[in-house]
Structures are given as C-alpha cells and as structure tokens.
Amino acid sequence: MNATPLPTRRGLLAGATAALLPLPALAQSDWPSRPIRLVVPFAAGGAADSAARAISPVMAQRLGQSIVVENRTGAGGSVGGGAVAASPPDGYTLLWDASSHLVNPALMRGLPFDYAAFVPVSQVVTFPGVLAVKADFPGRSVAEFIRQAKERPGAISVGTQGNATAGHVGLLQFSRRAGIEVIHAPYRGGADAARDLAAGVVDAVFITTVSAGPIVDSGRARFLAVATLQRVPSRPDVPTLAESGFPGFESNEWAALFGPAGLPQPIVAKLHEALREALGDAGVQQRLGQIGAVPVGSAPADFARFVREGREQMAVLVREAGIRLD
C-alpha cells in the first residue's frame, strides 16, 4: 500500500497564504471563469449596439469567455443602467453606455441608483457629430449658415436625434458660441431627422455622420462641418467646426464600457487590455468603419476624468438651457 505523501513546506505556505486572501481577491485571480453579460440600454441595430456586437466577440477571445450582449431599453437608457447598478461587482455584468450617461443624472430625479457610482473602464468609440443642411440651403459654409441664422433669427429649423441627446447638446453649444437662435426639431433618432432633411422638412440637422451620410451621398443634403477636433478620415473634405471659427469645439456621440460600483481594479485592467487588443484587430476596425465609429480605447483614469468633467458641464447646460426629456 502506497503511503500518502506528506505536504511540503512550500505547499503548506502556499495553502496558508491562500487561506489568508479575501475571497474577492481569489475570485479576481481566475476572472473570468464564466460568460460575461454586456447590457446595452439601447435598441438592437443602432450605432451603439452595432459597435458592441462588433467588438465583443474579439474581446471574448482575448478573455477566454463568451460575452453575451443584452439589450435592456427604456427611460433614456436608465433601465439598462439600473440593471447593471443592481448587479454584484464581480465583472460578469457590464454596461455599454453612451452620452446619456452624463445627461441623465441632470434630467432624472428619484432614480434608484447613482450614475456617478459606475466604474468607468474606457470610452470605446465615438460617432462624429456633423452639421448638415438641405440641398437648396442658401449657404455652403458654417459662416454662411450663421449669417443666414442672424438675418432670420428663430426661422431656421435644425433636427437632432431627440431632446437631451448628443446632437441636441451639440446644437445648443454651437448656437450659444455662434450667437444665433434656431428652432430645435427633436426626432426619435438620427435616421428620422436625416429623412426629413432630405425631404426639406427641416433646414439642417446636427446628428452623426453615419446618419447623415446616405442622404449627403445621394445629393439630397450637404455637410457643412464635422464636430470633431480633427477631420473624419471617411470625410476628409469636410472641415471641422474648430477650423470654421470655433477652436476646441467637439460634440460627438460615443459608446463606452462601465462596471457597477466597486468593480475591482484588476478586473478593470483586464477588461481594458482586452478592449485595446480588440480595437487593434483589423476585422474590428473594418466593421467599426462601416458604421461610422472611430476607435478610442481611452485609459480608465482618463475616461474617469472625462466622465466627471462632462457630468458637471452637462448639469450646468441642462439647467441653463431648460432641457427636458421627451
């Protein structure tokens, strides 16, 4: 009969060390060990959802576990946000949110969770904003648009994706800096606003390049400027608003990754590493380009600062402009 081997001194020390580690630390060391749920608080097929579905399979390969995208829509994104906020901070339930993450805290009262408590992982992509006009608009530059608006105050209508969206906020910021007064026409999405621009129902739109692109390419509208700091690679001939007399102006929709409050930093680091690797994948870059998304992949600390400063700015803008939800 074989004798049971006695444990070695090294084995005893390792076991003692493991016994002293808190359970969360032990769980983090083998994370992820099961599928991850990625909650998207927007409808399937939209820009944010499409970006999530383009990136998540490659992230899953890097992490060694599947990532299941789950659409939880409603109440401006707060339904999905609430679902993640109520989840344990173990890295198995994450939030894929957009610019509404900054606006909602200033608009919604009585939410059962705190947007400021989410742990920012990374701003993943941006969707460049754009100022576009109908084909027969009497002006072919931002300067001419402003001149028309000043000659006809309150007469030019500008469509956006809806109240409290990135387009609405961008339009407010642009109008204030330009010293003009326009009519805001909120729609239920960028595609609806673009359709009415093509039909001449509105004079202009402040939406994303991906929404406005098809009608511009068909000759039914014209780009005046993009709301990015640098020109958009897919639209190199379109100047930026920064070039057009508004230095530093930037207003884009974006998609980003968050975790629930208390998400451990080792898991944040693993998520960010997998995300950066996914954004470097040629296939992912091609798919993102097809939906008009520009890869970012910002570091957690940088994104946390962006979120903090953006939330403060949005609170002031919402209050001063009297923005309300639809």
Side-chain angles (χ1 to χ4, degrees):
M1 184 175 66
N2 294 329
T4 302
L6 294 173
T8 64
R9 182 172 182 271
R10 179 178 297 177
L12 287 170
L13 287 173
T17 301
L20 291 173
L21 287 173
L23 289 177
L26 291 173
Q28 293 169 35
S29 66
D30 65 352
W31 182 90
S33 58
R34 54 187 170 87
I36 299 166
R37 181 171 65 128
L38 182 59
V39 176
V40 178
F42 311 106
D49 174 75
S50 297
R53 295 179 186 276
I55 294 169
S56 58
V58 181
M59 280 189 69
Q61 291 174 7
R62 301 299 191 272
L63 293 170
Q65 289 290 339
S66 61
I67 298 177
V68 181
V69 176
E70 177 183 326
N71 298 94
R72 294 285 296 273
T73 63
S78 64
V79 170
V84 176
S87 301
D90 54 12
Y92 293 103
T93 302
L94 304 170
L95 178 66
W96 185 272
D97 215 345
S99 60
S100 56
H101 194 93
L102 306 184
V103 181
N104 283 353
L107 287 174
M108 300 179 176
R109 298 290 183 266
L111 286 172
F113 65 93
D114 182 7
Y115 269 101
F118 285 99
V119 176
V121 177
S122 180
Q123 185 183 62
V124 184
V125 296
T126 60
F127 300 95
V130 65
L131 175 63
V133 295
K134 59 185 181 181
D136 60 353
F137 186 83
R140 306 191 70 85
S141 68
V142 172
E144 291 174 355
F145 179 89
I146 293 172
R147 180 175 58 80
Q148 288 286 332
K150 288 184 175 179
E151 290 177 356
R152 299 183 287 146
I156 294 176
S157 56
V158 184
T160 71
Q161 306 99 311
N163 282 326
T165 61
H168 184 197
V169 170
L171 175 62
L172 280 171
Q173 293 172 324
F174 168 65
S175 299
R176 287 186 168 197
R177 288 186 60 174
I180 60 175
E181 179 185 350
V182 297
I183 301 171
H184 176 224
Y187 285 84
R188 295 184 65 83
D192 291 344
R195 182 196 62 236
D196 270 10
L197 179 66
V201 176
V202 291
D203 300 301
V205 291
F206 206 115
I207 53 179
T208 63
T209 53
V210 67
S211 294
I215 63 169
V216 169
D217 293 338
S218 69
R220 294 175 291 168
R222 289 183 280 111
F223 284 139
L224 292 186
V226 290
T228 51
L229 293 178
Q230 289 82 36
R231 295 196 181 196
V232 176
S234 61
R235 304 284 178 176
D237 297 331
V238 182
T240 66
L241 280 168
E243 293 176 72
S244 306
F246 299 88
F249 190 96
E250 185 176 22
S251 179
N252 309 299
E253 186 56 270
W254 45 265
L257 187 62
F258 296 86
L263 184 68
Q265 285 305 306
I267 293 180
V268 171
K270 286 184 180 181
L271 282 168
H272 184 254
E273 181 181 5
L275 176 62
R276 291 284 295 179
E277 291 178 359
L279 288 175
D281 181 86
V284 169
Q285 292 176 356
Q286 181 181 16
R287 289 190 289 276
L288 292 177
Q290 291 170 347
I291 61 173
V294 178
V296 179
S298 58
D302 293 337
F303 184 46
R305 182 170 55 254
F306 171 87
V307 170
R308 184 173 59 255
E309 294 174 354
R311 186 179 293 114
E312 294 171 355
Q313 293 167 4
M314 289 303 104
V316 173
L317 186 64
V318 166
R319 182 176 65 253
E320 292 182 349
I323 299 176
R324 297 288 184 270
L325 289 173
D326 290 328

